[in-house]
Amino acid sequence: MRKQFSLELGDGLVFELGKRTLVVGVLNVTPDSFSDGGRNFEPARAVERALEMEREGADIVEIGGESTRPGASSVQAGEELSRVMPVLDKLAGRVRVPISIDTYKSEVARQALDAGASIVNDVSALRFDPAVADAVAGSNAALVLMHMRGEPATMQKIESSPNIFAEIARDLDAAIRVAGNRGVARRQLIIDPGIGFGKTLEQNLAIINHLERFESFGLPLMIGTSRKSFMGSLAGQPESDRLFGTAASVALAIVRGAHIVRVHDVREMVEVARITDAVLTSG
């Protein structure tokens, strides 16, 4: 059984993690996302998709204004803000589920939180801009610390880790200390071992299969396997045709202990999560 946690996001909203799996719908408002090629780049279309995700059963909608696909170049905070803020502003009062902002920049995190976001997902686990923790500390928001090796532009080219579990544990432990030192309460933290993001095919599979190795952190666990390249390596399918691979990885991640899954195909993965949860709690 998964360990249970209470995740408080302000305004009286509390998620009881572990009783059921939360599904985060990924909304990329970038022109170069690996998975949807800029389909939701226009604010009006992005808002429409966010509301659609809510109808499909997403517990959280996550908005990202910078691609972190392998080889992606970074963008300035101003450019990222010009992409995400119009969407956040238009969603105010229209979407009922919490909004997460996918950013590693403190200025973007701060403005997104001021606009109503209640989760910050930092794919660098505070390595790129530790002040992200300052923005979270002054709010009731949650902070996701995700493990990445290197940076998006080079992460798939660096030498592979000789012990990926030890490296993830070391780096996440350091990130948790940074967050705590900057005033983020432990109850605000979520960890993500970062499927992809500088790991080999074999390492990605091992991480999914052994999520219990992260139980010692005593924190909720998020996993993002949706449409990732390791599926293409195994099944030879392009990003747009990895629904079944994603479903398999989501179900396995839940069985292995994930509390939250981050997906693009919300309607289908909500069904996968609900059925997997039902089996796990059947006694």
Side-chain angles (χ1 to χ4, degrees):
M1 290 292 295
R2 289 173 293 191
K3 184 174 180 180
Q4 296 188 6
F5 301 91
S6 290
L7 180 64
E8 301 179 15
L9 296 177
D11 296 326
L13 178 61
V14 180
F15 284 122
E16 298 298 337
L17 303 179
K19 291 184 176 180
R20 70 174 181 88
T21 305
L22 297 189
V23 176
V24 177
V26 177
L27 181 60
N28 295 308
V29 288
T30 64
D32 56 347
S33 167
F34 87 94
S35 64
D36 53 30
R39 186 179 306 159
N40 300 308
F41 186 49
E42 293 298 324
R45 174 58 189 139
V47 170
E48 179 184 339
R49 178 56 184 150
L51 295 172
E52 184 179 45
M53 287 180 177
E54 182 180 46
R55 292 192 298 271
E56 291 176 345
D59 296 290
I60 297 164
V61 172
E62 183 169 283
I63 299 171
E66 177 177 340
S67 175
T68 52
R69 61 178 171 77
S73 299
S74 62
V75 300
Q76 296 298 312
E79 175 65 21
E80 189 175 344
L81 285 165
S82 73
R83 297 173 180 180
V84 301
M85 292 307 296
V87 180
L88 284 165
D89 290 340
K90 291 178 184 296
L91 284 175
R94 297 185 64 187
V95 66
R96 296 182 300 276
V97 298
I99 294 176
S100 172
I101 183 71
D102 178 0
T103 188
Y104 56 79
K105 301 183 183 73
S106 57
E107 183 57 29
V108 176
R110 188 172 295 106
Q111 291 197 36
L113 291 171
D114 288 343
S118 52
I119 302 171
V120 176
N121 185 358
D122 183 351
V123 298
S124 81
L126 305 178
R127 285 192 299 120
F128 296 168
D129 185 357
V132 166
D134 300 336
V136 174
S139 71
N140 290 319
L143 174 61
V144 181
L145 301 172
M146 196 204 79
H147 183 265
M148 178 198 301
R149 303 188 68 239
E151 56 188 43
T154 60
M155 63 189 176
Q156 294 305 122
K157 299 177 181 179
I158 59 179
E159 185 177 352
S160 64
S161 172
N163 188 333
I164 192 61
F165 285 101
E167 180 177 316
I168 294 172
R170 179 197 68 210
D171 293 348
L172 287 180
D173 186 62
I176 291 167
R177 288 198 305 272
V178 171
N181 289 339
R182 287 179 174 262
V184 180
R186 198 170 181 86
R187 60 176 171 75
Q188 295 174 267
L189 297 177
I190 299 165
I191 57 171
D192 182 342
I195 298 297
F197 292 95
K199 286 87 171 178
T200 66
L201 169 62
E202 293 76 14
Q203 289 170 345
N204 286 319
L205 299 177
I207 291 167
I208 296 169
N209 198 32
H210 293 287
L211 294 180
E212 78 281 354
R213 296 197 181 192
F214 304 106
E215 290 179 357
S216 60
F217 283 101
L219 292 170
L221 183 65
M222 177 186 282
I223 295 293
T225 61
S226 184
R227 303 181 185 176
K228 290 289 178 75
S229 61
F230 76 88
M231 298 175 194
S233 300
L234 291 170
Q237 300 289 2
E239 291 89 345
S240 59
D241 197 17
R242 293 175 183 167
L243 182 63
F244 295 116
T246 296
S249 65
V250 165
L252 286 167
I254 294 169
V255 170
R256 292 295 190 252
H259 296 87
I260 308 169
V261 293
R262 186 176 177 275
V263 304
H264 301 86
D265 304 290
V266 173
R267 179 176 59 83
E268 295 87 347
M269 296 310 130
V270 165
E271 183 175 344
V272 169
R274 299 300 172 257
I275 293 172
T276 307
D277 285 347
V279 172
L280 286 176
T281 58
S282 64

